[in-house]
PDB file of all heavy atoms in Angstrom:
ATOM      1  N   ASP J  25     -45.918  -7.936 -82.691  1.00 98.00           N
ATOM      2  CA  ASP J  25     -45.143  -7.032 -81.821  1.00 98.00           C
ATOM      3  C   ASP J  25     -43.662  -7.386 -81.844  1.00 98.00           C
ATOM      4  O   ASP J  25     -42.798  -6.507 -81.924  1.00 98.00           O
ATOM      5  CB  ASP J  25     -45.660  -7.083 -80.375  1.00 98.00           C
ATOM      6  CG  ASP J  25     -47.025  -6.442 -80.201  1.00 98.00           C
ATOM      7  OD1 ASP J  25     -47.487  -5.722 -81.130  1.00 98.00           O
ATOM      8  OD2 ASP J  25     -47.646  -6.671 -79.144  1.00 98.00           O
ATOM      9  N   ALA J  26     -43.357  -8.679 -81.777  1.00 98.00           N
ATOM     10  CA  ALA J  26     -41.953  -9.104 -81.805  1.00 98.00           C
ATOM     11  C   ALA J  26     -41.318  -8.749 -83.146  1.00 98.00           C
ATOM     12  O   ALA J  26     -40.184  -8.241 -83.182  1.00 98.00           O
ATOM     13  CB  ALA J  26     -41.850 -10.610 -81.550  1.00 98.00           C
ATOM     14  N   SER J  27     -42.037  -8.972 -84.230  1.00 98.00           N
ATOM     15  CA  SER J  27     -41.524  -8.641 -85.557  1.00 98.00           C
ATOM     16  C   SER J  27     -41.248  -7.147 -85.651  1.00 98.00           C
ATOM     17  O   SER J  27     -40.172  -6.720 -86.108  1.00 98.00           O
ATOM     18  CB  SER J  27     -42.521  -9.074 -86.631  1.00 98.00           C
ATOM     19  OG  SER J  27     -42.040  -8.755 -87.920  1.00 98.00           O
ATOM     20  N   ALA J  28     -42.189  -6.339 -85.204  1.00 98.00           N
ATOM     21  CA  ALA J  28     -42.029  -4.878 -85.263  1.00 98.00           C
ATOM     22  C   ALA J  28     -40.818  -4.421 -84.443  1.00 98.00           C
ATOM     23  O   ALA J  28     -40.066  -3.534 -84.864  1.00 98.00           O
ATOM     24  CB  ALA J  28     -43.295  -4.179 -84.772  1.00 98.00           C
ATOM     25  N   GLU J  29     -40.608  -5.044 -83.298  1.00 97.00           N
ATOM     26  CA  GLU J  29     -39.465  -4.671 -82.448  1.00 97.00           C
ATOM     27  C   GLU J  29     -38.145  -4.974 -83.150  1.00 97.00           C
ATOM     28  O   GLU J  29     -37.234  -4.141 -83.172  1.00 97.00           O
ATOM     29  CB  GLU J  29     -39.540  -5.412 -81.108  1.00 97.00           C
ATOM     30  CG  GLU J  29     -38.357  -5.156 -80.183  1.00 97.00           C
ATOM     31  CD  GLU J  29     -38.210  -3.700 -79.758  1.00 97.00           C
ATOM     32  OE1 GLU J  29     -39.221  -2.962 -79.717  1.00 97.00           O
ATOM     33  OE2 GLU J  29     -37.055  -3.289 -79.453  1.00 97.00           O
ATOM     34  N   TYR J  30     -38.008  -6.163 -83.727  1.00 97.00           N
ATOM     35  CA  TYR J  30     -36.759  -6.495 -84.420  1.00 97.00           C
ATOM     36  C   TYR J  30     -36.585  -5.681 -85.688  1.00 97.00           C
ATOM     37  O   TYR J  30     -35.472  -5.268 -86.022  1.00 97.00           O
ATOM     38  CB  TYR J  30     -36.645  -8.002 -84.688  1.00 97.00           C
ATOM     39  CG  TYR J  30     -36.283  -8.753 -83.432  1.00 97.00           C
ATOM     40  CD1 TYR J  30     -37.181  -9.606 -82.829  1.00 97.00           C
ATOM     41  CD2 TYR J  30     -35.032  -8.562 -82.842  1.00 97.00           C
ATOM     42  CE1 TYR J  30     -36.844 -10.265 -81.648  1.00 97.00           C
ATOM     43  CE2 TYR J  30     -34.702  -9.212 -81.673  1.00 97.00           C
ATOM     44  CZ  TYR J  30     -35.605 -10.066 -81.077  1.00 97.00           C
ATOM     45  OH  TYR J  30     -35.272 -10.706 -79.920  1.00 97.00           O
ATOM     46  N   GLU J  31     -37.674  -5.408 -86.388  1.00 97.00           N
ATOM     47  CA  GLU J  31     -37.572  -4.548 -87.576  1.00 97.00           C
ATOM     48  C   GLU J  31     -37.066  -3.166 -87.186  1.00 97.00           C
ATOM     49  O   GLU J  31     -36.230  -2.588 -87.892  1.00 97.00           O
ATOM     50  CB  GLU J  31     -38.922  -4.446 -88.280  1.00 97.00           C
ATOM     51  CG  GLU J  31     -39.338  -5.738 -88.984  1.00 97.00           C
ATOM     52  CD  GLU J  31     -40.723  -5.629 -89.575  1.00 97.00           C
ATOM     53  OE1 GLU J  31     -40.891  -4.861 -90.537  1.00 97.00           O
ATOM     54  OE2 GLU J  31     -41.641  -6.314 -89.060  1.00 97.00           O
ATOM     55  N   LYS J  32     -37.563  -2.643 -86.068  1.00 97.00           N
ATOM     56  CA  LYS J  32     -37.121  -1.324 -85.576  1.00 97.00           C
ATOM     57  C   LYS J  32     -35.632  -1.363 -85.227  1.00 97.00           C
ATOM     58  O   LYS J  32     -34.862  -0.489 -85.630  1.00 97.00           O
ATOM     59  CB  LYS J  32     -37.955  -0.920 -84.350  1.00 97.00           C
ATOM     60  CG  LYS J  32     -37.621   0.473 -83.800  1.00 97.00           C
ATOM     61  CD  LYS J  32     -38.505   0.811 -82.623  1.00 97.00           C
ATOM     62  CE  LYS J  32     -37.891   0.195 -81.397  1.00 97.00           C
ATOM     63  NZ  LYS J  32     -38.510   0.542 -80.129  1.00 97.00           N
ATOM     64  N   ARG J  33     -35.217  -2.387 -84.489  1.00 96.00           N
ATOM     65  CA  ARG J  33     -33.804  -2.517 -84.113  1.00 96.00           C
ATOM     66  C   ARG J  33     -32.910  -2.652 -85.345  1.00 96.00           C
ATOM     67  O   ARG J  33     -31.819  -2.093 -85.395  1.00 96.00           O
ATOM     68  CB  ARG J  33     -33.597  -3.735 -83.214  1.00 96.00           C
ATOM     69  CG  ARG J  33     -34.196  -3.604 -81.847  1.00 96.00           C
ATOM     70  CD  ARG J  33     -33.913  -4.865 -81.049  1.00 96.00           C
ATOM     71  NE  ARG J  33     -34.589  -4.846 -79.764  1.00 96.00           N
ATOM     72  CZ  ARG J  33     -34.338  -5.711 -78.796  1.00 96.00           C
ATOM     73  NH1 ARG J  33     -33.435  -6.670 -78.983  1.00 96.00           N
ATOM     74  NH2 ARG J  33     -34.983  -5.635 -77.669  1.00 96.00           N
ATOM     75  N   LEU J  34     -33.381  -3.418 -86.323  1.00 97.00           N
ATOM     76  CA  LEU J  34     -32.570  -3.658 -87.523  1.00 97.00           C
ATOM     77  C   LEU J  34     -32.494  -2.452 -88.447  1.00 97.00           C
ATOM     78  O   LEU J  34     -31.584  -2.373 -89.282  1.00 97.00           O
ATOM     79  CB  LEU J  34     -33.118  -4.871 -88.292  1.00 97.00           C
ATOM     80  CG  LEU J  34     -32.735  -6.220 -87.708  1.00 97.00           C
ATOM     81  CD1 LEU J  34     -33.649  -7.319 -88.239  1.00 97.00           C
ATOM     82  CD2 LEU J  34     -31.281  -6.530 -88.022  1.00 97.00           C
ATOM     83  N   SER J  35     -33.398  -1.521 -88.310  1.00 96.00           N
ATOM     84  CA  SER J  35     -33.432  -0.377 -89.227  1.00 96.00           C
ATOM     85  C   SER J  35     -32.139   0.433 -89.209  1.00 96.00           C
ATOM     86  O   SER J  35     -31.795   1.078 -90.198  1.00 96.00           O
ATOM     87  CB  SER J  35     -34.631   0.525 -88.931  1.00 96.00           C
ATOM     88  OG  SER J  35     -34.486   1.145 -87.667  1.00 96.00           O
ATOM     89  N   ALA J  36     -31.384   0.389 -88.124  1.00 94.00           N
ATOM     90  CA  ALA J  36     -30.105   1.092 -88.048  1.00 94.00           C
ATOM     91  C   ALA J  36     -28.962   0.288 -88.687  1.00 94.00           C
ATOM     92  O   ALA J  36     -27.886   0.821 -88.921  1.00 94.00           O
ATOM     93  CB  ALA J  36     -29.760   1.389 -86.588  1.00 94.00           C
ATOM     94  N   MET J  37     -29.215  -1.002 -88.966  1.00 95.00           N
ATOM     95  CA  MET J  37     -28.151  -1.889 -89.422  1.00 95.00           C
ATOM     96  C   MET J  37     -28.303  -2.343 -90.868  1.00 95.00           C
ATOM     97  O   MET J  37     -27.325  -2.725 -91.510  1.00 95.00           O
ATOM     98  CB  MET J  37     -28.102  -3.123 -88.517  1.00 95.00           C
ATOM     99  CG  MET J  37     -27.877  -2.802 -87.069  1.00 95.00           C
ATOM    100  SD  MET J  37     -28.091  -4.294 -86.089  1.00 95.00           S
ATOM    101  CE  MET J  37     -27.747  -3.657 -84.469  1.00 95.00           C
ATOM    102  N   CYS J  38     -29.534  -2.377 -91.354  1.00 96.00           N
ATOM    103  CA  CYS J  38     -29.788  -2.847 -92.705  1.00 96.00           C
ATOM    104  C   CYS J  38     -31.140  -2.307 -93.165  1.00 96.00           C
ATOM    105  O   CYS J  38     -31.888  -1.762 -92.365  1.00 96.00           O
ATOM    106  CB  CYS J  38     -29.785  -4.375 -92.766  1.00 96.00           C
ATOM    107  SG  CYS J  38     -31.137  -5.171 -91.858  1.00 96.00           S
ATOM    108  N   LYS J  39     -31.385  -2.472 -94.428  1.00 97.00           N
ATOM    109  CA  LYS J  39     -32.710  -2.126 -94.950  1.00 97.00           C
ATOM    110  C   LYS J  39     -33.520  -3.419 -94.969  1.00 97.00           C
ATOM    111  O   LYS J  39     -33.213  -4.341 -95.714  1.00 97.00           O
ATOM    112  CB  LYS J  39     -32.592  -1.534 -96.353  1.00 97.00           C
ATOM    113  CG  LYS J  39     -33.912  -1.062 -96.895  1.00 97.00           C
ATOM    114  CD  LYS J  39     -33.754  -0.354 -98.220  1.00 97.00           C
ATOM    115  CE  LYS J  39     -35.133   0.086 -98.680  1.00 97.00           C
ATOM    116  NZ  LYS J  39     -35.465  -0.389-100.003  1.00 97.00           N
ATOM    117  N   MET J  40     -34.522  -3.504 -94.102  1.00 97.00           N
ATOM    118  CA  MET J  40     -35.319  -4.717 -93.917  1.00 97.00           C
ATOM    119  C   MET J  40     -36.645  -4.590 -94.658  1.00 97.00           C
ATOM    120  O   MET J  40     -37.323  -3.571 -94.565  1.00 97.00           O
ATOM    121  CB  MET J  40     -35.567  -4.948 -92.422  1.00 97.00           C
ATOM    122  CG  MET J  40     -36.495  -6.097 -92.091  1.00 97.00           C
ATOM    123  SD  MET J  40     -35.934  -7.720 -92.608  1.00 97.00           S
ATOM    124  CE  MET J  40     -34.454  -7.898 -91.652  1.00 97.00           C
ATOM    125  N   ASN J  41     -36.996  -5.630 -95.382  1.00 97.00           N
ATOM    126  CA  ASN J  41     -38.263  -5.664 -96.097  1.00 97.00           C
ATOM    127  C   ASN J  41     -38.878  -7.044 -95.890  1.00 97.00           C
ATOM    128  O   ASN J  41     -38.232  -8.057 -96.185  1.00 97.00           O
ATOM    129  CB  ASN J  41     -38.040  -5.395 -97.591  1.00 97.00           C
ATOM    130  CG  ASN J  41     -39.330  -5.300 -98.366  1.00 97.00           C
ATOM    131  OD1 ASN J  41     -40.376  -4.959 -97.830  1.00 97.00           O
ATOM    132  ND2 ASN J  41     -39.255  -5.597 -99.644  1.00 97.00           N
ATOM    133  N   ILE J  42     -40.087  -7.077 -95.361  1.00 98.00           N
ATOM    134  CA  ILE J  42     -40.786  -8.352 -95.175  1.00 98.00           C
ATOM    135  C   ILE J  42     -41.961  -8.386 -96.146  1.00 98.00           C
ATOM    136  O   ILE J  42     -42.795  -7.474 -96.161  1.00 98.00           O
ATOM    137  CB  ILE J  42     -41.258  -8.536 -93.725  1.00 98.00           C
ATOM    138  CG1 ILE J  42     -40.052  -8.587 -92.789  1.00 98.00           C
ATOM    139  CG2 ILE J  42     -42.109  -9.802 -93.599  1.00 98.00           C
ATOM    140  CD1 ILE J  42     -40.382  -8.683 -91.320  1.00 98.00           C
ATOM    141  N   ILE J  43     -41.981  -9.425 -96.960  1.00 98.00           N
ATOM    142  CA  ILE J  43     -43.040  -9.603 -97.950  1.00 98.00           C
ATOM    143  C   ILE J  43     -43.806 -10.864 -97.583  1.00 98.00           C
ATOM    144  O   ILE J  43     -43.219 -11.954 -97.500  1.00 98.00           O
ATOM    145  CB  ILE J  43     -42.459  -9.734 -99.373  1.00 98.00           C
ATOM    146  CG1 ILE J  43     -41.654  -8.481 -99.742  1.00 98.00           C
ATOM    147  CG2 ILE J  43     -43.565 -10.006-100.381  1.00 98.00           C
ATOM    148  CD1 ILE J  43     -40.840  -8.639-101.020  1.00 98.00           C
ATOM    149  N   GLU J  44     -45.091 -10.705 -97.378  1.00 97.00           N
ATOM    150  CA  GLU J  44     -45.939 -11.857 -97.085  1.00 97.00           C
ATOM    151  C   GLU J  44     -46.672 -12.259 -98.355  1.00 97.00           C
ATOM    152  O   GLU J  44     -47.244 -11.411 -99.033  1.00 97.00           O
ATOM    153  CB  GLU J  44     -46.944 -11.516 -95.988  1.00 97.00           C
ATOM    154  CG  GLU J  44     -46.272 -11.218 -94.656  1.00 97.00           C
ATOM    155  CD  GLU J  44     -47.245 -10.748 -93.585  1.00 97.00           C
ATOM    156  OE1 GLU J  44     -48.359 -10.267 -93.937  1.00 97.00           O
ATOM    157  OE2 GLU J  44     -46.901 -10.844 -92.398  1.00 97.00           O
ATOM    158  N   VAL J  45     -46.614 -13.543 -98.679  1.00 98.00           N
ATOM    159  CA  VAL J  45     -47.357 -14.055 -99.829  1.00 98.00           C
ATOM    160  C   VAL J  45     -48.519 -14.891 -99.305  1.00 98.00           C
ATOM    161  O   VAL J  45     -48.457 -15.454 -98.208  1.00 98.00           O
ATOM    162  CB  VAL J  45     -46.476 -14.859-100.809  1.00 98.00           C
ATOM    163  CG1 VAL J  45     -45.369 -13.976-101.389  1.00 98.00           C
ATOM    164  CG2 VAL J  45     -45.894 -16.095-100.170  1.00 98.00           C
ATOM    165  N   LYS J  46     -49.553 -14.968-100.113  1.00 97.00           N
ATOM    166  CA  LYS J  46     -50.782 -15.663 -99.719  1.00 97.00           C
ATOM    167  C   LYS J  46     -50.516 -17.133 -99.415  1.00 97.00           C
ATOM    168  O   LYS J  46     -49.850 -17.823-100.171  1.00 97.00           O
ATOM    169  CB  LYS J  46     -51.808 -15.521-100.841  1.00 97.00           C
ATOM    170  CG  LYS J  46     -53.147 -16.144-100.534  1.00 97.00           C
ATOM    171  CD  LYS J  46     -54.117 -15.871-101.686  1.00 97.00           C
ATOM    172  CE  LYS J  46     -55.321 -16.760-101.608  1.00 97.00           C
ATOM    173  NZ  LYS J  46     -55.233 -17.938-102.450  1.00 97.00           N
ATOM    174  N   GLU J  47     -51.087 -17.558 -98.306  1.00 95.00           N
ATOM    175  CA  GLU J  47     -51.039 -18.973 -97.927  1.00 95.00           C
ATOM    176  C   GLU J  47     -52.164 -19.696 -98.657  1.00 95.00           C
ATOM    177  O   GLU J  47     -53.303 -19.230 -98.661  1.00 95.00           O
ATOM    178  CB  GLU J  47     -51.206 -19.082 -96.406  1.00 95.00           C
ATOM    179  CG  GLU J  47     -51.027 -20.449 -95.840  1.00 95.00           C
ATOM    180  CD  GLU J  47     -51.018 -20.437 -94.311  1.00 95.00           C
ATOM    181  OE1 GLU J  47     -51.370 -19.421 -93.692  1.00 95.00           O
ATOM    182  OE2 GLU J  47     -50.655 -21.482 -93.748  1.00 95.00           O
ATOM    183  N   GLU J  48     -51.842 -20.787 -99.278  1.00 95.00           N
ATOM    184  CA  GLU J  48     -52.843 -21.563-100.026  1.00 95.00           C
ATOM    185  C   GLU J  48     -53.778 -22.268 -99.044  1.00 95.00           C
ATOM    186  O   GLU J  48     -53.333 -22.813 -98.037  1.00 95.00           O
ATOM    187  CB  GLU J  48     -52.105 -22.584-100.912  1.00 95.00           C
ATOM    188  CG  GLU J  48     -52.916 -23.194-101.995  1.00 95.00           C
ATOM    189  CD  GLU J  48     -53.366 -22.214-103.071  1.00 95.00           C
ATOM    190  OE1 GLU J  48     -52.754 -21.148-103.249  1.00 95.00           O
ATOM    191  OE2 GLU J  48     -54.367 -22.536-103.730  1.00 95.00           O
ATOM    192  N   ARG J  49     -55.059 -22.253 -99.346  1.00 93.00           N
ATOM    193  CA  ARG J  49     -56.029 -22.949 -98.484  1.00 93.00           C
ATOM    194  C   ARG J  49     -55.839 -24.457 -98.618  1.00 93.00           C
ATOM    195  O   ARG J  49     -55.501 -24.956 -99.682  1.00 93.00           O
ATOM    196  CB  ARG J  49     -57.450 -22.567 -98.863  1.00 93.00           C
ATOM    197  CG  ARG J  49     -57.709 -21.094 -98.657  1.00 93.00           C
ATOM    198  CD  ARG J  49     -59.189 -20.761 -98.811  1.00 93.00           C
ATOM    199  NE  ARG J  49     -59.577 -19.940 -97.666  1.00 93.00           N
ATOM    200  CZ  ARG J  49     -60.236 -20.367 -96.603  1.00 93.00           C
ATOM    201  NH1 ARG J  49     -60.607 -21.579 -96.498  1.00 93.00           N
ATOM    202  NH2 ARG J  49     -60.537 -19.565 -95.620  1.00 93.00           N
ATOM    203  N   SER J  50     -56.077 -25.144 -97.510  1.00 92.00           N
ATOM    204  CA  SER J  50     -55.877 -26.587 -97.477  1.00 92.00           C
ATOM    205  C   SER J  50     -57.102 -27.273 -96.879  1.00 92.00           C
ATOM    206  O   SER J  50     -57.644 -26.799 -95.883  1.00 92.00           O
ATOM    207  CB  SER J  50     -54.644 -26.895 -96.627  1.00 92.00           C
ATOM    208  OG  SER J  50     -54.544 -28.270 -96.359  1.00 92.00           O
ATOM    209  N   PRO J  51     -57.524 -28.404 -97.465  1.00 91.00           N
ATOM    210  CA  PRO J  51     -58.605 -29.160 -96.823  1.00 91.00           C
ATOM    211  C   PRO J  51     -58.122 -29.753 -95.495  1.00 91.00           C
ATOM    212  O   PRO J  51     -56.908 -29.783 -95.222  1.00 91.00           O
ATOM    213  CB  PRO J  51     -58.927 -30.254 -97.849  1.00 91.00           C
ATOM    214  CG  PRO J  51     -57.743 -30.344 -98.739  1.00 91.00           C
ATOM    215  CD  PRO J  51     -57.051 -29.016 -98.695  1.00 91.00           C
ATOM    216  N   ASP J  52     -59.051 -30.225 -94.685  1.00 91.00           N
ATOM    217  CA  ASP J  52     -58.684 -30.767 -93.371  1.00 91.00           C
ATOM    218  C   ASP J  52     -57.703 -31.928 -93.440  1.00 91.00           C
ATOM    219  O   ASP J  52     -56.759 -31.992 -92.662  1.00 91.00           O
ATOM    220  CB  ASP J  52     -59.943 -31.200 -92.602  1.00 91.00           C
ATOM    221  CG  ASP J  52     -60.729 -30.001 -92.091  1.00 91.00           C
ATOM    222  OD1 ASP J  52     -60.151 -28.897 -92.008  1.00 91.00           O
ATOM    223  OD2 ASP J  52     -61.926 -30.179 -91.779  1.00 91.00           O
TER     224      ASP J  52
END
């Protein structure tokens, strides 16, 4: 929700693109 709110606010100021890459699995 916080990310979506800032992305919405920033849309008037810049072109925002968030790319998520896969997190590698880790043993305990």
Side-chain angles (χ1 to χ4, degrees):
D25 290 346
S27 180
E29 177 62 27
Y30 284 112
E31 289 175 68
K32 183 179 83 173
R33 291 181 186 192
L34 281 162
S35 67
M37 302 171 179
C38 66
K39 185 174 180 235
M40 174 62 63
N41 185 26
I42 297 176
I43 300 170
E44 295 175 339
V45 299
K46 183 177 165 263
E47 187 172 12
E48 196 65 22
R49 297 189 132 259
S50 169
D52 286 341

